[in-house]
Amino acid sequence: NPIGGVVTYPEIAENMIIRNNVVWNVNTTNPQGSRAGIRLFTQLAMNTGDPLLNQLRPSVTDYLTRGDKIVNNTVLMNDDGLTTAGMIVGIGVQASASAVVKNNAVALLDVDAGEISPAYACMFYEGKLPKEGGLMSDYNAFYYPSKVGAAVYRFVEVDDNFNILDGAATTSNAMYASLNQWQSWTNSDMNSVFGDFTDDFIYTGVEPNQKLRINLAPQPPLGSILNNRGQRLVDVEYDIDNNVRGPAGQRYDIGAFE
């Protein structure tokens, strides 16, 4: 700045909207590699010498993205056949001020990660407590098979200067193993649900031209936890296939499909 002081760009809110995506088969051939279906974060420092802290420390600790929304996405983290030491995360949010995460369907299906992965969770969130101006998350659907060491939420709490207050220990990977634990501690995701919705889907076509869609044959899934359980959102009028969301004033379906 020629007149002195510091100017940080961008000067306006980023307002990133990640919506109507279907994510599956995110794989790695490196057992130390980390995977995420959707991950919102700023540049990482990557110089701590600790594999987990390398994923937590941003290069610029006083900058947060603003106005971010991750809404109506479907994420399936499949089993890659490796015993993974890296992070496996459905949706990750870091260094974002009051990000909105709603109407997402997230399932963890990798069975060889829980014991050794520093973060194996449907949601990985680093920031302030939701009730203190942090993440705004609700109306989501989460699932992982029993006895895989996974968590619904992996939460790393930080202060205004991005100093880590809690959750950085590798042994904290199942900090909020159940949705009830997360709801009780944070008063967040009060309308979210946990249950197996993966049988609702079918793979059509052949890779690399494959699609993941709702199985409509012989009829749409009955009693699905995704059906009409989401919130109506002005930012999402159509689904991934351009179908109108929430016809006749109904609540939205959770995930990328209506």
Side-chain angles (χ1 to χ4, degrees), residues 140-166:
N140 301 295
F142 305 115
Y143 174 69
Y144 61 81
S146 61
K147 299 180 181 179
V148 297
V152 171
Y153 262 87
R154 174 74 160 84
F155 174 43
V156 178
E157 185 180 1
V158 299
D159 63 16
D160 289 332
N161 297 314
F162 235 86
N163 296 307
I164 296 174
L165 303 178
D166 190 26

PDB file of all heavy atoms in Angstrom, residues 140-166:
ATOM      1  N   ASN A 140     -28.530 -32.045   7.410  1.00  0.00           N
ATOM      2  CA  ASN A 140     -27.663 -32.966   6.682  1.00  0.00           C
ATOM      3  C   ASN A 140     -27.988 -34.414   7.059  1.00  0.00           C
ATOM      4  O   ASN A 140     -28.628 -34.680   8.078  1.00  0.00           O
ATOM      5  CB  ASN A 140     -26.191 -32.670   7.008  1.00  0.00           C
ATOM      6  CG  ASN A 140     -25.796 -31.259   6.639  1.00  0.00           C
ATOM      7  OD1 ASN A 140     -25.792 -30.883   5.475  1.00  0.00           O
ATOM      8  ND2 ASN A 140     -25.459 -30.442   7.643  1.00  0.00           N
ATOM      9  N   ALA A 141     -27.533 -35.337   6.237  1.00  0.00           N
ATOM     10  CA  ALA A 141     -27.658 -36.766   6.524  1.00  0.00           C
ATOM     11  C   ALA A 141     -26.272 -37.385   6.524  1.00  0.00           C
ATOM     12  O   ALA A 141     -25.499 -37.200   5.576  1.00  0.00           O
ATOM     13  CB  ALA A 141     -28.547 -37.458   5.489  1.00  0.00           C
ATOM     14  N   PHE A 142     -25.944 -38.123   7.596  1.00  0.00           N
ATOM     15  CA  PHE A 142     -24.624 -38.725   7.756  1.00  0.00           C
ATOM     16  C   PHE A 142     -24.766 -40.238   7.911  1.00  0.00           C
ATOM     17  O   PHE A 142     -25.748 -40.739   8.446  1.00  0.00           O
ATOM     18  CB  PHE A 142     -23.917 -38.166   8.993  1.00  0.00           C
ATOM     19  CG  PHE A 142     -23.793 -36.672   9.016  1.00  0.00           C
ATOM     20  CD1 PHE A 142     -24.446 -35.923   9.991  1.00  0.00           C
ATOM     21  CD2 PHE A 142     -23.029 -36.000   8.079  1.00  0.00           C
ATOM     22  CE1 PHE A 142     -24.328 -34.539  10.029  1.00  0.00           C
ATOM     23  CE2 PHE A 142     -22.909 -34.618   8.101  1.00  0.00           C
ATOM     24  CZ  PHE A 142     -23.557 -33.887   9.081  1.00  0.00           C
ATOM     25  N   TYR A 143     -23.711 -40.939   7.464  1.00  0.00           N
ATOM     26  CA  TYR A 143     -23.707 -42.387   7.665  1.00  0.00           C
ATOM     27  C   TYR A 143     -22.297 -42.934   7.607  1.00  0.00           C
ATOM     28  O   TYR A 143     -21.477 -42.494   6.795  1.00  0.00           O
ATOM     29  CB  TYR A 143     -24.545 -43.108   6.601  1.00  0.00           C
ATOM     30  CG  TYR A 143     -24.436 -44.618   6.704  1.00  0.00           C
ATOM     31  CD1 TYR A 143     -24.993 -45.300   7.777  1.00  0.00           C
ATOM     32  CD2 TYR A 143     -23.732 -45.352   5.744  1.00  0.00           C
ATOM     33  CE1 TYR A 143     -24.862 -46.677   7.894  1.00  0.00           C
ATOM     34  CE2 TYR A 143     -23.604 -46.730   5.854  1.00  0.00           C
ATOM     35  CZ  TYR A 143     -24.168 -47.388   6.932  1.00  0.00           C
ATOM     36  OH  TYR A 143     -24.031 -48.748   7.054  1.00  0.00           O
ATOM     37  N   TYR A 144     -22.020 -43.896   8.482  1.00  0.00           N
ATOM     38  CA  TYR A 144     -20.862 -44.775   8.352  1.00  0.00           C
ATOM     39  C   TYR A 144     -21.225 -46.116   8.981  1.00  0.00           C
ATOM     40  O   TYR A 144     -22.024 -46.165   9.927  1.00  0.00           O
ATOM     41  CB  TYR A 144     -19.609 -44.179   9.005  1.00  0.00           C
ATOM     42  CG  TYR A 144     -19.712 -43.921  10.487  1.00  0.00           C
ATOM     43  CD1 TYR A 144     -19.538 -44.947  11.423  1.00  0.00           C
ATOM     44  CD2 TYR A 144     -19.966 -42.645  10.977  1.00  0.00           C
ATOM     45  CE1 TYR A 144     -19.629 -44.716  12.777  1.00  0.00           C
ATOM     46  CE2 TYR A 144     -20.065 -42.403  12.336  1.00  0.00           C
ATOM     47  CZ  TYR A 144     -19.893 -43.436  13.238  1.00  0.00           C
ATOM     48  OH  TYR A 144     -19.999 -43.204  14.579  1.00  0.00           O
ATOM     49  N   PRO A 145     -20.689 -47.224   8.464  1.00  0.00           N
ATOM     50  CA  PRO A 145     -20.990 -48.528   9.048  1.00  0.00           C
ATOM     51  C   PRO A 145     -20.465 -48.603  10.486  1.00  0.00           C
ATOM     52  O   PRO A 145     -19.507 -47.915  10.853  1.00  0.00           O
ATOM     53  CB  PRO A 145     -20.248 -49.508   8.141  1.00  0.00           C
ATOM     54  CG  PRO A 145     -19.989 -48.758   6.885  1.00  0.00           C
ATOM     55  CD  PRO A 145     -19.823 -47.330   7.280  1.00  0.00           C
ATOM     56  N   SER A 146     -21.076 -49.436  11.273  1.00  0.00           N
ATOM     57  CA  SER A 146     -20.646 -49.590  12.664  1.00  0.00           C
ATOM     58  C   SER A 146     -19.277 -50.246  12.738  1.00  0.00           C
ATOM     59  O   SER A 146     -18.847 -50.952  11.824  1.00  0.00           O
ATOM     60  CB  SER A 146     -21.657 -50.431  13.443  1.00  0.00           C
ATOM     61  OG  SER A 146     -21.766 -51.725  12.884  1.00  0.00           O
ATOM     62  N   LYS A 147     -18.562 -49.961  13.806  1.00  0.00           N
ATOM     63  CA  LYS A 147     -17.283 -50.605  14.127  1.00  0.00           C
ATOM     64  C   LYS A 147     -16.181 -50.308  13.114  1.00  0.00           C
ATOM     65  O   LYS A 147     -15.353 -51.164  12.810  1.00  0.00           O
ATOM     66  CB  LYS A 147     -17.461 -52.118  14.282  1.00  0.00           C
ATOM     67  CG  LYS A 147     -18.422 -52.506  15.393  1.00  0.00           C
ATOM     68  CD  LYS A 147     -18.570 -54.017  15.522  1.00  0.00           C
ATOM     69  CE  LYS A 147     -19.544 -54.383  16.625  1.00  0.00           C
ATOM     70  NZ  LYS A 147     -19.728 -55.851  16.756  1.00  0.00           N
ATOM     71  N   VAL A 148     -16.168 -49.104  12.566  1.00  0.00           N
ATOM     72  CA  VAL A 148     -15.067 -48.737  11.678  1.00  0.00           C
ATOM     73  C   VAL A 148     -14.227 -47.605  12.275  1.00  0.00           C
ATOM     74  O   VAL A 148     -13.295 -47.129  11.649  1.00  0.00           O
ATOM     75  CB  VAL A 148     -15.575 -48.320  10.280  1.00  0.00           C
ATOM     76  CG1 VAL A 148     -16.276 -49.473   9.603  1.00  0.00           C
ATOM     77  CG2 VAL A 148     -16.469 -47.096  10.350  1.00  0.00           C
ATOM     78  N   GLY A 149     -14.528 -47.171  13.486  1.00  0.00           N
ATOM     79  CA  GLY A 149     -13.735 -46.141  14.141  1.00  0.00           C
ATOM     80  C   GLY A 149     -13.941 -44.754  13.591  1.00  0.00           C
ATOM     81  O   GLY A 149     -13.094 -43.874  13.766  1.00  0.00           O
ATOM     82  N   ALA A 150     -15.044 -44.535  12.900  1.00  0.00           N
ATOM     83  CA  ALA A 150     -15.298 -43.244  12.271  1.00  0.00           C
ATOM     84  C   ALA A 150     -16.032 -42.306  13.228  1.00  0.00           C
ATOM     85  O   ALA A 150     -16.432 -42.678  14.329  1.00  0.00           O
ATOM     86  CB  ALA A 150     -16.106 -43.433  10.994  1.00  0.00           C
ATOM     87  N   ALA A 151     -16.197 -41.072  12.792  1.00  0.00           N
ATOM     88  CA  ALA A 151     -16.914 -40.061  13.556  1.00  0.00           C
ATOM     89  C   ALA A 151     -17.853 -39.311  12.631  1.00  0.00           C
ATOM     90  O   ALA A 151     -17.597 -39.192  11.434  1.00  0.00           O
ATOM     91  CB  ALA A 151     -15.940 -39.081  14.222  1.00  0.00           C
ATOM     92  N   VAL A 152     -18.930 -38.806  13.192  1.00  0.00           N
ATOM     93  CA  VAL A 152     -19.784 -37.894  12.426  1.00  0.00           C
ATOM     94  C   VAL A 152     -19.055 -36.570  12.240  1.00  0.00           C
ATOM     95  O   VAL A 152     -19.020 -36.011  11.149  1.00  0.00           O
ATOM     96  CB  VAL A 152     -21.138 -37.704  13.128  1.00  0.00           C
ATOM     97  CG1 VAL A 152     -21.939 -36.590  12.458  1.00  0.00           C
ATOM     98  CG2 VAL A 152     -21.942 -39.001  13.110  1.00  0.00           C
ATOM     99  N   TYR A 153     -18.446 -36.069  13.320  1.00  0.00           N
ATOM    100  CA  TYR A 153     -17.706 -34.806  13.268  1.00  0.00           C
ATOM    101  C   TYR A 153     -16.319 -34.962  13.872  1.00  0.00           C
ATOM    102  O   TYR A 153     -16.143 -35.594  14.912  1.00  0.00           O
ATOM    103  CB  TYR A 153     -18.434 -33.716  14.063  1.00  0.00           C
ATOM    104  CG  TYR A 153     -19.266 -32.790  13.213  1.00  0.00           C
ATOM    105  CD1 TYR A 153     -20.570 -33.119  12.897  1.00  0.00           C
ATOM    106  CD2 TYR A 153     -18.771 -31.579  12.733  1.00  0.00           C
ATOM    107  CE1 TYR A 153     -21.357 -32.283  12.125  1.00  0.00           C
ATOM    108  CE2 TYR A 153     -19.548 -30.730  11.965  1.00  0.00           C
ATOM    109  CZ  TYR A 153     -20.835 -31.078  11.662  1.00  0.00           C
ATOM    110  OH  TYR A 153     -21.605 -30.249  10.890  1.00  0.00           O
ATOM    111  N   ARG A 154     -15.358 -34.402  13.205  1.00  0.00           N
ATOM    112  CA  ARG A 154     -14.006 -34.200  13.741  1.00  0.00           C
ATOM    113  C   ARG A 154     -13.827 -32.694  13.847  1.00  0.00           C
ATOM    114  O   ARG A 154     -13.793 -31.984  12.838  1.00  0.00           O
ATOM    115  CB  ARG A 154     -12.972 -34.806  12.798  1.00  0.00           C
ATOM    116  CG  ARG A 154     -11.524 -34.514  13.201  1.00  0.00           C
ATOM    117  CD  ARG A 154     -11.118 -35.356  14.400  1.00  0.00           C
ATOM    118  NE  ARG A 154      -9.681 -35.458  14.517  1.00  0.00           N
ATOM    119  CZ  ARG A 154      -8.904 -34.540  15.106  1.00  0.00           C
ATOM    120  NH1 ARG A 154      -9.445 -33.435  15.588  1.00  0.00           N
ATOM    121  NH2 ARG A 154      -7.608 -34.723  15.194  1.00  0.00           N
ATOM    122  N   PHE A 155     -13.759 -32.180  15.064  1.00  0.00           N
ATOM    123  CA  PHE A 155     -13.770 -30.737  15.303  1.00  0.00           C
ATOM    124  C   PHE A 155     -12.468 -30.292  15.949  1.00  0.00           C
ATOM    125  O   PHE A 155     -12.060 -30.819  16.987  1.00  0.00           O
ATOM    126  CB  PHE A 155     -14.956 -30.381  16.199  1.00  0.00           C
ATOM    127  CG  PHE A 155     -14.990 -28.949  16.640  1.00  0.00           C
ATOM    128  CD1 PHE A 155     -14.722 -27.908  15.755  1.00  0.00           C
ATOM    129  CD2 PHE A 155     -15.323 -28.629  17.946  1.00  0.00           C
ATOM    130  CE1 PHE A 155     -14.768 -26.582  16.170  1.00  0.00           C
ATOM    131  CE2 PHE A 155     -15.379 -27.315  18.369  1.00  0.00           C
ATOM    132  CZ  PHE A 155     -15.095 -26.291  17.483  1.00  0.00           C
ATOM    133  N   VAL A 156     -11.809 -29.323  15.312  1.00  0.00           N
ATOM    134  CA  VAL A 156     -10.622 -28.689  15.881  1.00  0.00           C
ATOM    135  C   VAL A 156     -11.001 -27.244  16.203  1.00  0.00           C
ATOM    136  O   VAL A 156     -11.267 -26.451  15.303  1.00  0.00           O
ATOM    137  CB  VAL A 156      -9.428 -28.737  14.907  1.00  0.00           C
ATOM    138  CG1 VAL A 156      -8.220 -28.030  15.524  1.00  0.00           C
ATOM    139  CG2 VAL A 156      -9.080 -30.172  14.555  1.00  0.00           C
ATOM    140  N   GLU A 157     -11.035 -26.921  17.471  1.00  0.00           N
ATOM    141  CA  GLU A 157     -11.456 -25.585  17.900  1.00  0.00           C
ATOM    142  C   GLU A 157     -10.274 -24.622  17.915  1.00  0.00           C
ATOM    143  O   GLU A 157      -9.188 -24.962  18.407  1.00  0.00           O
ATOM    144  CB  GLU A 157     -12.082 -25.642  19.293  1.00  0.00           C
ATOM    145  CG  GLU A 157     -12.659 -24.311  19.753  1.00  0.00           C
ATOM    146  CD  GLU A 157     -13.276 -24.379  21.136  1.00  0.00           C
ATOM    147  OE1 GLU A 157     -13.237 -25.476  21.746  1.00  0.00           O
ATOM    148  OE2 GLU A 157     -13.788 -23.350  21.612  1.00  0.00           O
ATOM    149  N   VAL A 158     -10.465 -23.435  17.357  1.00  0.00           N
ATOM    150  CA  VAL A 158      -9.427 -22.406  17.337  1.00  0.00           C
ATOM    151  C   VAL A 158      -9.995 -21.096  17.864  1.00  0.00           C
ATOM    152  O   VAL A 158     -11.217 -20.900  17.920  1.00  0.00           O
ATOM    153  CB  VAL A 158      -8.863 -22.189  15.907  1.00  0.00           C
ATOM    154  CG1 VAL A 158      -8.241 -23.469  15.380  1.00  0.00           C
ATOM    155  CG2 VAL A 158      -9.947 -21.687  14.974  1.00  0.00           C
ATOM    156  N   ASP A 159      -9.086 -20.173  18.227  1.00  0.00           N
ATOM    157  CA  ASP A 159      -9.519 -18.852  18.666  1.00  0.00           C
ATOM    158  C   ASP A 159      -9.438 -17.861  17.501  1.00  0.00           C
ATOM    159  O   ASP A 159      -9.217 -18.246  16.353  1.00  0.00           O
ATOM    160  CB  ASP A 159      -8.696 -18.371  19.863  1.00  0.00           C
ATOM    161  CG  ASP A 159      -7.211 -18.202  19.550  1.00  0.00           C
ATOM    162  OD1 ASP A 159      -6.845 -18.165  18.351  1.00  0.00           O
ATOM    163  OD2 ASP A 159      -6.412 -18.107  20.495  1.00  0.00           O
ATOM    164  N   ASP A 160      -9.605 -16.566  17.800  1.00  0.00           N
ATOM    165  CA  ASP A 160      -9.618 -15.548  16.746  1.00  0.00           C
ATOM    166  C   ASP A 160      -8.301 -15.458  15.988  1.00  0.00           C
ATOM    167  O   ASP A 160      -8.266 -14.993  14.843  1.00  0.00           O
ATOM    168  CB  ASP A 160      -9.951 -14.177  17.350  1.00  0.00           C
ATOM    169  CG  ASP A 160     -11.399 -14.075  17.792  1.00  0.00           C
ATOM    170  OD1 ASP A 160     -12.237 -14.776  17.202  1.00  0.00           O
ATOM    171  OD2 ASP A 160     -11.689 -13.297  18.719  1.00  0.00           O
ATOM    172  N   ASN A 161      -7.205 -15.878  16.623  1.00  0.00           N
ATOM    173  CA  ASN A 161      -5.891 -15.827  15.990  1.00  0.00           C
ATOM    174  C   ASN A 161      -5.458 -17.177  15.420  1.00  0.00           C
ATOM    175  O   ASN A 161      -4.288 -17.371  15.101  1.00  0.00           O
ATOM    176  CB  ASN A 161      -4.853 -15.333  16.992  1.00  0.00           C
ATOM    177  CG  ASN A 161      -5.141 -13.921  17.459  1.00  0.00           C
ATOM    178  OD1 ASN A 161      -5.438 -13.032  16.648  1.00  0.00           O
ATOM    179  ND2 ASN A 161      -5.080 -13.701  18.768  1.00  0.00           N
ATOM    180  N   PHE A 162      -6.401 -18.084  15.334  1.00  0.00           N
ATOM    181  CA  PHE A 162      -6.179 -19.432  14.810  1.00  0.00           C
ATOM    182  C   PHE A 162      -5.218 -20.252  15.668  1.00  0.00           C
ATOM    183  O   PHE A 162      -4.560 -21.174  15.184  1.00  0.00           O
ATOM    184  CB  PHE A 162      -5.707 -19.411  13.353  1.00  0.00           C
ATOM    185  CG  PHE A 162      -6.592 -20.241  12.459  1.00  0.00           C
ATOM    186  CD1 PHE A 162      -7.728 -19.710  11.888  1.00  0.00           C
ATOM    187  CD2 PHE A 162      -6.296 -21.579  12.235  1.00  0.00           C
ATOM    188  CE1 PHE A 162      -8.554 -20.477  11.084  1.00  0.00           C
ATOM    189  CE2 PHE A 162      -7.113 -22.358  11.434  1.00  0.00           C
ATOM    190  CZ  PHE A 162      -8.241 -21.807  10.854  1.00  0.00           C
ATOM    191  N   ASN A 163      -5.129 -19.924  16.940  1.00  0.00           N
ATOM    192  CA  ASN A 163      -4.434 -20.801  17.881  1.00  0.00           C
ATOM    193  C   ASN A 163      -5.355 -21.974  18.201  1.00  0.00           C
ATOM    194  O   ASN A 163      -6.544 -21.790  18.479  1.00  0.00           O
ATOM    195  CB  ASN A 163      -4.094 -20.043  19.167  1.00  0.00           C
ATOM    196  CG  ASN A 163      -3.132 -18.908  18.925  1.00  0.00           C
ATOM    197  OD1 ASN A 163      -2.067 -19.089  18.346  1.00  0.00           O
ATOM    198  ND2 ASN A 163      -3.513 -17.708  19.350  1.00  0.00           N
ATOM    199  N   ILE A 164      -4.820 -23.179  18.147  1.00  0.00           N
ATOM    200  CA  ILE A 164      -5.630 -24.369  18.382  1.00  0.00           C
ATOM    201  C   ILE A 164      -5.910 -24.510  19.873  1.00  0.00           C
ATOM    202  O   ILE A 164      -5.006 -24.546  20.696  1.00  0.00           O
ATOM    203  CB  ILE A 164      -4.925 -25.619  17.837  1.00  0.00           C
ATOM    204  CG1 ILE A 164      -4.785 -25.513  16.313  1.00  0.00           C
ATOM    205  CG2 ILE A 164      -5.704 -26.880  18.210  1.00  0.00           C
ATOM    206  CD1 ILE A 164      -3.980 -26.634  15.688  1.00  0.00           C
ATOM    207  N   LEU A 165      -7.193 -24.583  20.216  1.00  0.00           N
ATOM    208  CA  LEU A 165      -7.614 -24.716  21.600  1.00  0.00           C
ATOM    209  C   LEU A 165      -7.882 -26.167  21.987  1.00  0.00           C
ATOM    210  O   LEU A 165      -7.647 -26.564  23.115  1.00  0.00           O
ATOM    211  CB  LEU A 165      -8.887 -23.889  21.844  1.00  0.00           C
ATOM    212  CG  LEU A 165      -8.797 -22.397  21.525  1.00  0.00           C
ATOM    213  CD1 LEU A 165     -10.145 -21.727  21.767  1.00  0.00           C
ATOM    214  CD2 LEU A 165      -7.704 -21.733  22.363  1.00  0.00           C
ATOM    215  N   ASP A 166      -8.377 -26.944  21.045  1.00  0.00           N
ATOM    216  CA  ASP A 166      -8.731 -28.330  21.362  1.00  0.00           C
ATOM    217  C   ASP A 166      -8.890 -29.116  20.064  1.00  0.00           C
ATOM    218  O   ASP A 166      -9.239 -28.558  19.026  1.00  0.00           O
ATOM    219  CB  ASP A 166     -10.037 -28.376  22.150  1.00  0.00           C
ATOM    220  CG  ASP A 166     -10.325 -29.760  22.716  1.00  0.00           C
ATOM    221  OD1 ASP A 166      -9.361 -30.517  22.943  1.00  0.00           O
ATOM    222  OD2 ASP A 166     -11.505 -30.092  22.927  1.00  0.00           O
TER     223      ASP A 166
END
